[in-house]
């Protein structure tokens, strides 16, 4: 069965960095675009970044552009999110998700994703 397992979260001070990983299994990973979402307490889950199958296209939320980098290693079936210059506003549970298919420019809509990981917590202190 499809399984997505995030790791790499933790507590960091403002200005610091973290790298999240998402290990995928149970399907042909290279065939699917992927994305990272996050959800802070009391807020809606929001799209952070997405990456196409062939690593040709990447998309970012305005709030993380220039600070976060999404990447993938199709040989290792793993998705990454390198986060830098973190701020307290980045505090959230971070989830990876598999894109159903179609135009990836609609990546920020949660309904376009069919499988989700359990999440990894990122906490940024000021």
């Amino acid at each position: 069965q499809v399984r997505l397992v995030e790791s790499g979260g933790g507590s960091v001070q403002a200005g610091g960095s973290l790298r999240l990983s998402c290990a995928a299994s149970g399907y042909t990973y290279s065939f699917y675009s992927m994305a990272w979402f996050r959800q802070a307490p009391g807020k809606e889950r929001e799209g952070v970044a997405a990456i196409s199958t062939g690593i040709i296209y990447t998309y970012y939320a305005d709030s993380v552009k220039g600070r976060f980098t999404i990447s993938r290693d199709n040989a290792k079936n793993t998705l990454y999110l390198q986060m830098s210059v973190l701020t307290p506003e980045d505090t959230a549970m971070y989830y990876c998700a598999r894109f159903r298919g179609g135009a990836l420019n609609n990546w920020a809509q949660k309904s376009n994703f069919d499988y989700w990981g359990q999440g990894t917590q990122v906490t940024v202190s000021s």
Side-chain angles (χ1 to χ4, degrees), residues 62-80:
D62 288 342
S63 59
V64 306
K65 278 181 183 176
R67 300 188 300 120
F68 290 12
T69 302
I70 189 171
S71 62
R72 63 189 296 165
D73 186 334
N74 287 342
K76 295 182 178 179
N77 291 355
T78 303
L79 178 72
Y80 301 100

Side-chain angles (χ1 to χ4, degrees), residues 23-105:
S25 61
Y27 70 103
T28 305
Y29 174 71
S30 61
F31 285 6
Y32 290 81
S33 298
M34 299 290 294
W36 288 97
F37 284 74
R38 67 185 180 185
Q39 187 167 18
K43 294 189 176 181
E44 291 287 321
R45 191 171 298 190
E46 63 175 0
V48 175
I51 187 166
S52 63
T53 55
I55 320 178
I56 297 174
Y57 300 106
T58 56
Y59 301 85
Y60 295 93
D62 288 342
S63 59
V64 306
K65 278 181 183 176
R67 300 188 300 120
F68 290 12
T69 302
I70 189 171
S71 62
R72 63 189 296 165
D73 186 334
N74 287 342
K76 295 182 178 179
N77 291 355
T78 303
L79 178 72
Y80 301 100
L81 185 68
Q82 177 67 49
M83 307 185 295
S84 303
V85 195
L86 286 160
T87 73
E89 288 68 38
D90 295 316
T91 295
M93 186 73 79
Y94 283 72
Y95 301 88
C96 64
R98 190 182 82 168
F99 190 65
R100 294 180 187 273
L104 189 57
N105 57 340

Side-chain angles (χ1 to χ4, degrees), residues 2-21:
V2 174
R3 192 168 182 225
L4 301 173
V5 180
E6 301 94 337
S7 62
S11 297
V12 64
Q13 288 193 325
S17 300
L18 281 174
R19 188 176 83 153
L20 306 182
S21 299

